[in-house]
């Protein structure tokens, strides 16, 4: 059966100030990742650049501008007045209220800011480049339609998303290519007829047509195919007299046949992995080209040095459609940049708000290694050491992807996620050994907390206690299972017997630290204790996934068996919002009879529209929302009889 992809239009251009044509890009990050770029202070480019972006990309561009001695101007909405990119800039201009179409996509306000600040060039937001001529990308405004009904629904939702995100509701209908790889070529061209291809990026791991994990190079391409794709990408750039950094995207089938998809005339989110393997600062290259300088390199100068992987860290709930947006304030935030060969491109800090108005990206987490295995190992460690509190995030999904046997083997397509998780993502599935590790660690943590509560300034609180307790009999509840546990302690090492199997756990047991580095049966692990209370309830992040554990003494465990259980809510009779957002449309009223699967309302969050349907055939009892209202995650929308 043929299918078609409905997409918002994909022509993209660059807004320029009258003094120069400029499109920027981002690169350098952690000093632990080395680059071969030389910043020549004698090479005069621009005095001042206005960066019409927010978030991580604005911060990234500013870093290179500072290295080049260029002053920067930030623009911001009123809710972004204290954002990181505003603090980094030399000047800042407010361009309107929170909604993007009234601020970051308000071209009159942007042009006025350019004139007021005397900026010689402007680096546009991705969405802004799409608004001008006229739009699309980021997985927004795209639907797959297999029949007439899906075509009608896809047209409606895609056009609404496109209008909301890009100010243009025009659509293209394209033939849908099933089960391909998504591989793109980075190009760099100047105004003197020179153009290079900077190798490829593998971008096949996607959800809702948006990339999640990228790597460079691709495990799939051989040198001949890489060269053919690169040469054709360069030919395209030269044919349209393109001058800047850009990306030519392809779909590649199992026989290494490749098909042109689109050209993005901008800086891609995933550009850091290209910088890692080539040593180039692409922001610097774009600024030089915009000023009219020729490229510094020849094609034979472009290497593939090592391997780089990027994980897009989002404020999303990965258990809902592989990632529905989450909002909140980052109450605690620590990037894993203390680890070697780790780069984090972000535009937030502890205390920053993730709002419904903008993309929920927290950061781009990049690891680099001499080999793919080394880069993957570093990514695993980086994800375990990444501390994010206050919002739901997608680290559980990212860690499962990069440790999945199929991903490790390189056998991936754009259908990886739905194929491997057909019932949706459920988090890390514990093996028997993993369960014992988690139970033993929880028990050791519980005992450590108990011992800590008995001391102050290194002394026992009760001086008459003759001797510290060294053995404990506990019951640990995990995933509806109960485990009898015997714990003994020697210094900072706990020997834990879990269901007859001995597990040795050692560590510093610093309960004030966000990270909990331990050694379990001589294997180093980094867990995170997300919460714990006096009742023995502990939430641990283990292998990326959050697990709720209850640790009780044997007596308390026996007594708790007599406590009544809470009756779960009948979710088939109510419809709650799966995410924070705004109500676009309500399709029912009290008294209406709905069929199973019928649309009840549409919720928009971060410019993505989600159709919510009835779980069963029933009569509508009450409606608790209306179009235009803002709702929170879990808010009651509609109740059925």
């Amino acid at each position: 059966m043929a299918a078609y992809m409905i997409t918002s239009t994909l022509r993209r251009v660059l807004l320029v100030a009258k003094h120069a044509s400029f499109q920027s890009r981002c690169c350098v990050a952690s000093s632990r990742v080395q680059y071969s770029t030389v910043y020549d202070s004698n090479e005069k480019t621009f005095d001042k650049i206005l960066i019409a972006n927010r978030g991580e990309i604005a911060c990234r561009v500013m870093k290179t501008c500072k290295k080049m001695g260029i002053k920067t101007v930030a623009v911001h909405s009123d809710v972004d007045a204290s954002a990181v990119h505003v603090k980094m800039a030399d000047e800042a201009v407010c361009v309107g209220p929170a909604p993007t179409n009234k601020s970051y996509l308000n071209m009159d306000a942007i042009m006025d800011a350019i004139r007021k600040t005397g900026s010689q060039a402007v680096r546009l937001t991705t969405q802004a480049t799409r608004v001008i001529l006229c739009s699309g990308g980021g997985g927004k405004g795209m639907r797959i339609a297999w029949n007439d009904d899906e075509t009608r629904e896809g047209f409606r939702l895609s056009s609404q998303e496109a209008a909301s995100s890009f100010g243009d509701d025009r659509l293209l209908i394209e033939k849908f290519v099933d089960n391909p790889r998504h591989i793109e070529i980075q190009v760099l061209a100047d105004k003197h007829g020179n153009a290079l291809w900077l190798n490829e990026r593998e971008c096949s791991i996607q959800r809702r047509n948006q990339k999640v994990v990228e790597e460079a190079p691709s495990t799939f391409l051989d040198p001949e195919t890489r060269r053919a794709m690169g040469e054709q990408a360069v030919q395209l750039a030269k044919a349209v007299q393109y001058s800047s950094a850009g990306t030519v995207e392809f779909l590649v089938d199992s026989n290494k046949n490749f098909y042109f998809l689109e050209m993005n005339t901008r800086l891609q989110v995933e550009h850091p992995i290209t910088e890692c393997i080539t040593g180039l600062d692409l922001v610097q290259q774009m600024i030089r080209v915009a000023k009219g300088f020729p490229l510094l390199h020849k094609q034979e100068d472009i290497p593939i040095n090592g391997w780089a992987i990027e994980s897009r860290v989002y404020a999303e709930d990965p258990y809902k459609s592989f990632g529905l947006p989450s909002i909140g304030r980052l109450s605690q935030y620590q990037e894993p940049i203390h680890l070697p060969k780790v780069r984090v491109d972000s535009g937030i800090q502890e205390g920053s708000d993730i709002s419904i108005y903008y993309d929920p990206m927290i950061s781009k987490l990049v690891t680099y290694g001499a080999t793919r295995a080394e880069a993957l190992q570093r990514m695993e460690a980086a994800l375990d050491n990444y501390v994010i509190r206050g919002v739901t995030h997608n680290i559980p999904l990212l860690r499962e992807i990069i440790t999945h046997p199929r991903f490790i083997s390189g056998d991936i397509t754009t259908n990886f996620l739905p194929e491997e998780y057909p019932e949706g993502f459920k988090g890390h599935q514990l093996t028997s050994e993993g369960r014992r590790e988690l139970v033993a660690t929880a028990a050791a943590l519980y005992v450590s907390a108990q011992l800590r509560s008995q001391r102050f300034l290194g002394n026992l609180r009760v001086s008459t206690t003759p001797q510290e307790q060294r053995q404990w009999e506990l019951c640990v509840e995990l995933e509806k299972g109960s485990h009898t546990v015997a714990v003994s302690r020697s210094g900072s090492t706990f020997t834990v017997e879990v269901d007859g199997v001995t597990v040795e756990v050692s560590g510093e047991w610093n309960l004030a630290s966000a990270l909990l580095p331990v050694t379990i049966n001589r294997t180093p692990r980094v867990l995170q204790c997300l919460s714990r209370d006096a009742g023995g309830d502990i939430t641990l992040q283990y292998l990326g996934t959050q697990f709720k554990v209850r640790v009780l003494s044997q007596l308390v465990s026996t007594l708790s068996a007599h406590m009544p259980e809470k009756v779960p809510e009948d979710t088939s009779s109510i419809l709650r919002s799966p995410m924070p957002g705004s109500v676009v449309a309500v399709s029912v009223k009290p008294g209406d009879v709905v069929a199973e699967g019928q649309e009840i309302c549409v919720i928009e969050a971060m410019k993505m529209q989600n159709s919510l349907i009835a779980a069963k055939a029933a009569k509508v009892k009450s409606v608790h929302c209306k179009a235009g209202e803002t709702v929170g995650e879990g808010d009651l929308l509609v109740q059925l009889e």
Side-chain angles (χ1 to χ4, degrees):
M1 179 185 297
Y4 294 88
M5 178 70 82
I6 302 170
T7 68
S8 48
T9 54
L10 291 169
R11 290 176 295 161
R12 295 163 184 158
V13 299
L14 173 69
L15 177 69
V16 297
K18 65 179 181 180
H19 301 295
S21 65
F22 168 68
Q23 180 186 20
S24 188
R25 175 168 182 127
C26 64
C27 148
V28 183
S30 168
S31 60
R32 298 176 185 272
V33 179
Q34 299 300 317
Y35 298 93
S36 59
T37 296
V38 175
Y39 301 94
D40 186 356
S41 59
N42 295 320
E43 188 177 74
K44 186 66 174 176
T45 55
F46 301 102
D47 297 318
K48 184 186 294 186
I49 293 176
L50 183 143
I51 302 170
N53 295 75
R54 67 177 304 279
E56 53 82 22
I57 187 63
C59 295
R60 169 62 196 88
V61 173
M62 290 177 189
K63 289 178 182 178
T64 288
C65 287
K66 289 183 184 299
K67 291 177 183 291
M68 298 178 70
I70 301 172
K71 291 185 177 180
T72 56
V73 179
V75 295
H76 64 89
S77 66
D78 51 10
V79 298
D80 270 348
S82 60
V84 174
H85 77 280
V86 175
K87 297 176 181 178
M88 285 185 64
D90 297 295
E91 300 176 53
V93 179
C94 183
V95 289
T100 54
N101 63 339
K102 296 180 179 179
S103 52
Y104 294 101
L105 301 184
N106 184 344
M107 292 301 104
D108 290 338
I110 298 294
M111 293 303 297
D112 187 53
I114 294 171
R115 287 189 289 267
K116 285 182 177 178
T117 59
S119 299
Q120 298 168 309
V122 56
R123 199 291 180 188
L124 270 185
T125 174
T126 299
Q127 288 89 342
T129 64
R130 294 171 182 147
V131 165
I132 302 163
L133 252 177
C134 294
S135 319
K140 298 180 177 67
M142 301 177 70
R143 293 289 190 283
I144 299 172
W146 293 93
N147 53 49
D148 290 348
D149 290 339
E150 291 184 3
T151 301
R152 281 189 285 269
E153 181 183 32
F155 184 91
R156 177 174 63 89
L157 294 175
S158 293
S159 59
Q160 289 173 355
E161 282 182 1
S164 177
S165 296
F166 316 117
D168 186 344
D169 63 357
R170 292 179 296 170
L171 301 177
L172 299 175
I173 296 182
E174 303 171 327
K175 184 174 181 178
F176 176 63
V177 180
D178 196 16
N179 220 36
R181 284 176 179 259
H182 185 139
I183 300 177
E184 60 192 29
I185 300 292
Q186 177 70 58
V187 296
L188 180 63
D190 63 21
K191 299 176 181 179
H192 304 274
N194 304 306
L196 307 172
W197 49 274
L198 308 181
N199 304 309
E200 80 279 5
R201 295 187 289 258
E202 172 70 74
C203 307
S204 296
I205 303 297
Q206 303 181 7
R207 57 98 176 89
R208 297 196 302 276
N209 304 306
Q210 190 173 37
K211 302 159 189 172
V212 179
V213 176
E214 303 100 342
E215 60 182 308
S218 169
T219 61
F220 188 64
L221 295 190
D222 53 54
E224 291 74 23
T225 307
R226 177 178 295 113
R227 183 180 305 107
M229 293 176 70
E231 289 175 350
Q232 290 194 26
V234 164
Q235 289 174 18
L236 172 59
K238 288 184 175 181
V240 297
Q241 297 182 333
Y242 185 72
S243 60
S244 192
T247 299
V248 181
E249 303 195 3
F250 297 93
L251 295 180
V252 185
D253 66 21
S254 58
N255 295 316
K256 293 187 172 67
N257 298 309
F258 53 92
Y259 308 91
F260 172 73
L261 182 62
E262 63 171 328
M263 182 175 183
N264 285 320
T265 57
R266 58 181 172 86
L267 189 63
Q268 295 283 82
V269 170
E270 58 274 18
H271 74 273
I273 55 178
T274 295
E275 295 177 324
C276 286
I277 68 168
T278 62
L280 299 180
D281 179 340
L282 292 176
V283 178
Q284 182 208 29
Q285 299 299 320
M286 296 180 78
I287 294 174
R288 293 187 71 261
V289 167
K291 186 61 177 177
F293 290 108
L295 297 181
L296 294 170
H297 304 86
K298 304 294 183 182
Q299 189 63 57
E300 56 269 23
D301 299 329
I302 306 302
I304 298 181
N305 286 332
W307 214 284
I309 298 171
E310 175 179 286
S311 293
R312 299 192 186 191
V313 181
Y314 283 102
E316 290 182 338
D317 186 345
Y319 302 99
K320 298 177 180 178
S321 301
F322 298 111
L324 292 184
S326 169
I327 63 171
R329 177 165 294 176
L330 291 166
S331 57
Q332 192 171 11
Y333 183 75
Q334 297 176 21
E335 296 173 349
I337 53 176
H338 61 285
L339 301 175
K341 302 296 178 65
V342 171
R343 163 179 173 172
V344 182
D345 282 16
S346 66
I348 49 89
Q349 61 187 2
E350 192 167 285
S352 292
D353 288 313
I354 307 294
S355 75
I356 64 172
Y357 297 106
Y358 310 116
D359 187 89
M361 178 179 282
I362 294 175
S363 74
K364 300 180 297 194
L365 176 62
V366 180
T367 57
Y368 173 77
T371 64
R372 186 172 187 260
E374 189 176 287
L376 282 173
Q377 186 179 34
R378 286 178 172 152
M379 180 60 72
E380 190 175 337
L383 290 169
D384 285 342
N385 281 269
Y386 208 146
V387 178
I388 303 172
R389 306 278 197 275
V391 297
T392 304
H393 54 77
N394 68 333
I395 282 180
L397 176 62
L398 295 172
R399 199 184 190 284
E400 285 299 294
I401 291 172
I402 62 119
T403 58
H404 195 288
R406 182 176 161 191
F407 181 84
I408 292 173
S409 71
D411 178 22
I412 58 175
T413 69
T414 55
N415 286 331
F416 176 86
L417 288 179
E419 286 175 355
E420 293 303 318
Y421 308 101
E423 302 300 321
F425 180 66
K426 306 297 183 184
H428 180 74
Q429 303 302 298
L430 291 170
T431 62
S432 297
E433 181 182 6
R435 180 178 295 275
R436 287 192 295 269
E437 285 191 5
L438 183 55
V439 167
T441 304
L445 181 64
Y446 173 85
V447 171
S448 294
Q450 292 292 101
L451 292 173
R452 183 174 182 266
S453 67
Q454 298 172 8
R455 294 179 173 273
F456 66 99
L457 295 178
N459 296 315
L460 287 173
R461 288 183 182 273
V462 184
S463 59
T464 58
T465 303
Q467 186 175 349
E468 282 192 20
Q469 183 177 352
R470 294 190 178 275
Q471 292 186 329
W472 295 261
E473 298 291 330
L474 304 173
C475 179
V476 180
E477 298 173 1
L478 171 64
E479 294 184 334
K480 298 182 180 180
S482 182
H483 303 267
T484 301
V485 172
V487 182
S488 61
R489 169 179 170 261
S490 176
S492 62
T493 299
F494 292 89
T495 300
V496 186
E497 188 176 285
V498 183
D499 299 332
V501 179
T502 300
V503 180
E504 190 173 89
V505 187
S506 61
E508 296 181 2
W509 308 107
N510 181 358
L511 302 182
S513 173
L515 300 174
L516 185 65
V518 296
T519 300
I520 307 175
N521 287 342
R522 299 184 179 180
T523 300
R525 301 274 192 209
V526 176
L527 287 75
Q528 296 186 33
C529 181
L530 305 181
S531 67
R532 59 184 178 87
D533 61 28
D537 290 316
I538 302 173
T539 302
L540 290 173
Q541 182 172 305
Y542 169 72
L543 302 180
T545 295
Q546 296 181 17
F547 293 93
K548 293 184 177 180
V549 185
R550 172 172 284 184
V551 184
L552 305 172
S553 67
Q554 289 289 359
L555 176 60
V556 173
S557 175
T558 301
L559 295 175
S560 67
H562 301 286
M563 297 293 290
E565 291 188 8
K566 182 179 179 181
V567 178
E569 186 177 51
D570 180 11
T571 57
S572 66
S573 297
I574 58 173
L575 181 67
R576 294 188 181 277
S577 178
M579 75 205 111
S582 59
V583 180
V584 176
V586 180
S587 306
V588 299
K589 62 183 183 299
D592 286 354
V593 176
V594 296
E596 181 180 354
Q598 179 178 332
E599 180 179 286
I600 291 182
C601 62
V602 177
I603 302 294
E604 179 179 278
M606 276 82 170
K607 306 304 179 184
M608 297 292 288
Q609 295 197 357
N610 299 270
S611 175
L612 306 184
I613 61 175
K616 65 178 182 180
K619 180 183 286 187
V620 177
K621 181 179 180 179
S622 58
V623 177
H624 300 270
C625 64
K626 60 183 179 181
E629 286 185 342
T630 299
V631 294
E633 181 178 357
D635 284 0
L636 179 62
L637 303 177
V638 175
Q639 189 170 7
L640 305 178
E641 293 184 353

